[in-house]
Amino acid sequence: GMTSHDAVMAVRRMLGVRRVGHTGTLDPGAAGVLPIVVGKATRLVQWMQKADKSYRAEMTLGVETDTLDAAGKTTAMNTDFAIPVSRLVDQMHLQLGHILQTPPMVSSVKVDGERLYKAALRGDEVERPKRAVRIDHIEIIKIFPHGTLDLNFGARVLFAVTCSKGTYIRSLVADIGRALGCGAHLSFLVRTR
């Protein structure tokens, strides 16, 4: 529930230091690594933000939301599908390399000088330019329910991903769900590196 800015403010209060920054926004619904830099180290932010990141994520199939994650309102539901796991693996592998990705409306990306989440709070949908990102590694860790041959409504897929700066795992999951024809949302995210 804490934003990256909240974390910076908490460290400022704890240390009594004005110059504090973070090296890459982490969504309030996510957990994990958020490097904080203090004092003269804030000069390193511009280089540290460019570093690749790794995540452990869970996608839930059959439900789409307005925020592309579990915090959002359901916008579409598909309860009637049976997708072979091999098809999911193929779709995930199609995401490897350089891809174009549309950032979610609820994000800190600026369009015309305004952060998208502010427009989303007003209920506005803003044209968002696609951005070039890179997926270096994507691997399924576990599928729930365990032992299933076909993925059905409510199936959850825990996976690991390593990607470039600026990649939205929520958008990655939504894109995979659309490509599978069942829809999906990000139900869990932790940044591991």
Side-chain angles (χ1 to χ4, degrees):
M2 185 181 241
T3 67
S4 300
H5 180 71
D6 293 340
V8 166
M9 296 306 287
V11 170
R12 278 185 183 150
R13 281 191 303 274
M14 283 189 284
L15 299 180
V17 177
R18 175 101 180 103
R19 289 181 63 195
V20 178
H22 66 78
T23 63
T25 303
L26 191 59
D27 290 342
V33 176
L34 177 68
I36 301 286
V37 289
V38 179
K40 290 181 183 179
T42 56
R43 295 180 199 160
L44 301 174
V45 168
Q46 61 185 317
W47 293 285
M48 292 178 73
Q49 284 182 332
K50 294 176 185 174
D52 293 346
K53 293 162 178 58
S54 294
Y55 297 90
R56 181 91 23 126
E58 180 186 75
M59 101 173 69
T60 299
L61 300 176
V63 178
E64 296 178 72
T65 71
D66 59 353
T67 59
L68 311 183
D69 62 16
K73 294 183 178 109
T74 299
T75 57
M77 192 177 295
N78 181 351
T79 59
D80 187 26
F81 61 89
I83 297 170
V85 173
S86 61
R87 194 163 151 231
L88 170 65
V89 170
D90 291 345
Q91 269 312 315
M92 290 178 118
H93 285 162
L94 286 174
Q95 303 298 319
L96 287 170
H98 293 272
I99 62 171
L100 291 176
Q101 186 181 72
T102 303
M105 269 306 297
V106 180
S107 67
S108 61
V109 172
K110 284 186 178 179
V111 173
D112 295 329
E114 181 182 43
R115 300 227 183 253
L116 286 172
Y117 70 84
K118 289 185 179 181
L121 283 171
R122 287 193 311 270
D124 295 344
E125 183 78 20
V126 174
E127 180 78 26
R128 300 171 316 272
K130 290 187 179 259
R131 300 163 19 143
V133 297
R134 191 185 72 250
I135 308 294
D136 295 323
H137 173 82
I138 191 165
E139 174 187 4
I140 295 173
I141 297 167
K142 192 164 188 165
I143 296 174
F144 305 95
H146 181 67
T148 185
L149 297 177
D150 284 337
L151 301 169
N152 301 91
F153 175 73
R156 295 175 298 134
V157 180
L158 185 65
F159 65 98
V161 62
T162 299
C163 54
S164 66
K165 164 194 183 305
T167 303
Y168 280 90
I169 306 304
R170 289 180 285 153
S171 293
L172 175 66
V173 165
D175 291 345
I176 292 169
R178 273 192 292 278
L180 292 172
C182 64
H185 71 277
L186 181 69
S187 45
F188 169 80
L189 182 67
V190 62
R191 186 158 57 197
T192 57
R193 182 176 65 90

